[in-house]
């Protein structure tokens, strides 16, 4: 499967948020960039990191997913034993 560019990753996240009924900005630009870099543009990895970042932001009572929430999500999704 071909990987997505940074712009495609941003569009992919926006598309899924639109389907979920969210029209406003929910992920900061730096969060999207970090998701793209960490996922290497692989859709399943983008989904996993974005989902965990949403949970981290909610837990921290933030209105937007920022870089720090995304870093926490990456720690959760890429944990090693």
């Amino acid at each position: 499967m071909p990987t997505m560019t940074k712009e495609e990753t941003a569009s992919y996240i926006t598309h899924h948020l639109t389907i979920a009924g969210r029209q406003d900005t929910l992920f900061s630009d730096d969060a999207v960039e970090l998701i793209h870099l960490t996922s290497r543009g692989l859709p399943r990895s983008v989904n996993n990191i974005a989902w965990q970042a949403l949970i981290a932001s909610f837990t921290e009572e933030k209105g937007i997913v920022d870089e720090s929430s995304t870093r926490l999500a990456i720690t959760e999704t890429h944990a090693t034993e």
Side-chain angles (χ1 to χ4, degrees):
M1 171 177 250
T3 59
M4 296 184 284
T5 65
K6 185 172 95 172
E7 293 76 20
E8 290 170 330
T9 298
S11 293
Y12 181 81
I13 292 170
T14 301
H15 173 72
H16 281 273
L17 290 170
T18 301
I19 290 172
R22 193 75 186 236
Q23 298 296 323
D24 57 329
T25 300
L26 189 57
F27 285 80
S28 67
D29 291 338
D30 56 349
V32 172
E33 184 170 346
L34 185 56
I35 290 169
H36 174 72
L37 289 173
T38 306
S39 69
R40 298 179 319 272
L42 296 168
R44 182 180 300 248
S45 187
V46 170
N47 288 342
N48 290 338
I49 296 168
W51 178 249
Q52 289 300 320
L54 282 166
I55 292 170
S57 292
F58 175 77
T59 302
E60 297 172 334
E61 298 181 1
K62 295 180 179 179
I64 190 167
V65 178
D66 61 8
E67 184 180 358
S68 66
S69 297
T70 304
R71 287 193 184 282
L72 181 60
I74 290 165
T75 301
E76 293 293 321
T77 58
H78 292 80
T80 59
E81 294 182 29

